[in-house]
Amino acid sequence: MAVALLVAAGSGERLGAGRPKAFVALAGRPMLAWSLDAIRAAGIDDIVVALPAGHDAPEGCIGIAGGATRSESVRAALAAAPPSDAVVVHDAARPLVTPEHFTAALEALAHADCAIAAAPMTDTVKEAGPDRLVSATLDRTRLWAIQTPQAFRRAALAGALDVAADVLAQATDDAWLVERAGGTVRVVESTPANFKVTTPHDLRLVDHLLADRLSRPSAH
Ligand code: C5P
C-alpha cells in the first residue's frame, strides 16, 4: 500500500494572497482540501502533510513542519510516514488533481523506480541566453511538462533524498533526485488541466473551475 506526502509548506509569495498558498480558499475550502479529496478517493488513507508555521494538520492526517526548501519538506514528511512499499508526493498547489492521477502513477511503478504525471508539450520551446537571442528550438515531440503526483518505490525516494541540503535546494522536483542517483523514472501522461497555481490569474481560474465542479450534480 502507498502513503501520500502532501507538501503544503510554501509561503506562496508569488501569489500575493497574504497567507500560505495551500490555505487560500478556493470555492469555499482551503486549497489543500481539494488534493486531500483526490488522494482519499484513490484509496490512500495514510497521508503526511508538510505545513507552514502556525497551521494545524487537516483531520485524519499526520502534520509535520515543512523545511526551508520543497525537497526538505518532502524529506521531513517521508521521515514521519508509516511503513509502506510506495510513496506518492503531491504539491498542494495543484488542487485540480484527480484520483486517477494517483492510481496511474502508482501502477506505473511496476516498471520503474519513479513514475511522474506529465503533460505533452503543446507550445514550441526555445532556448535563449541572457541577451534573449535564441540558440535552439527543441524537439517538442520528446518534451514533457512535469507535474505532481510523483510516485516512488520507497527505498528509491529515501536514497535519493539522502543528500546534502545544497543538492536538495537545486531540485525543482523529486524525480530529478532519483535520476541523479541512477534510478529509472517514467512519465505518465497527464493534461495541462492539472496545472500549478502560481499567479493571481491561476487562482481566479482554479476558483472558477472548482466552483463549477461543485455546481454539477455529478460533483465528487
Ligand atoms: O513554490 P512552488 O509552488 O513550486 O511549491 C510547490 C509545492 O511545494 C507547494 O505545494 C508548496 O506548498 C510546497 N513547498 C513546501 N515547502 C517549501 C516550499 C514549497 O512544502 N519549503
Side-chain angles (χ1 to χ4, degrees):
M1 200 51 225
V3 299
L5 312 181
L6 182 65
V7 285
S11 63
E13 270 163 30
R14 283 170 295 184
L15 206 56
R19 70 172 80 175
K21 179 161 63 178
F23 290 85
V24 172
L26 288 176
R29 305 170 72 208
M31 189 180 298
L32 84 173
W34 296 96
S35 292
L36 288 172
D37 283 356
I39 292 168
R40 291 194 172 110
I44 303 169
D45 297 322
D46 289 325
I47 306 170
V48 183
V49 185
L51 295 159
H55 289 268
D56 293 330
E59 205 180 322
C61 299
I62 298 168
I64 55 112
T69 63
R70 185 187 171 286
S71 293
E72 284 186 43
S73 293
V74 172
R75 187 162 67 180
L78 183 63
S84 67
D85 294 329
V87 178
V88 62
V89 180
H90 182 61
D91 288 346
R94 295 186 190 272
L96 296 175
V97 71
T98 64
E100 291 73 27
H101 282 108
F102 290 94
T103 49
L106 286 165
E107 276 168 20
L109 283 185
H111 311 287
D113 295 315
C114 169
I116 59 181
M121 287 303 298
T122 52
D123 293 327
T124 294
V125 182
K126 295 182 190 288
E127 211 175 73
D131 57 3
R132 303 285 168 98
L133 278 178
V134 169
S135 50
T137 298
L138 306 180
D139 174 6
R140 179 167 88 178
T141 61
R142 295 174 53 84
L143 295 176
W144 297 82
I146 302 307
Q147 307 174 344
T148 65
Q150 300 197 341
F152 302 85
R153 295 180 184 163
R154 185 161 177 157
L157 179 61
L161 286 167
D162 189 15
V163 291
D166 65 315
V167 177
L168 284 189
Q170 282 175 55
T172 55
D173 76 339
D174 308 297
W176 174 72
L177 294 166
V178 172
E179 288 163 51
R180 71 181 287 288
T184 50
V185 178
R186 277 179 81 99
V187 289
V188 178
E189 187 162 347
S190 174
T191 71
N194 180 32
F195 63 87
K196 185 167 75 169
V197 176
T198 307
T199 65
H201 171 265
D202 297 336
L203 200 59
R204 284 197 298 278
L205 184 58
V206 82
D207 186 54
H208 175 79
L209 290 169
L210 288 170
D212 185 58
R213 189 195 282 182
L214 280 183
S215 73
R216 291 170 192 277
S218 62
H220 57 263

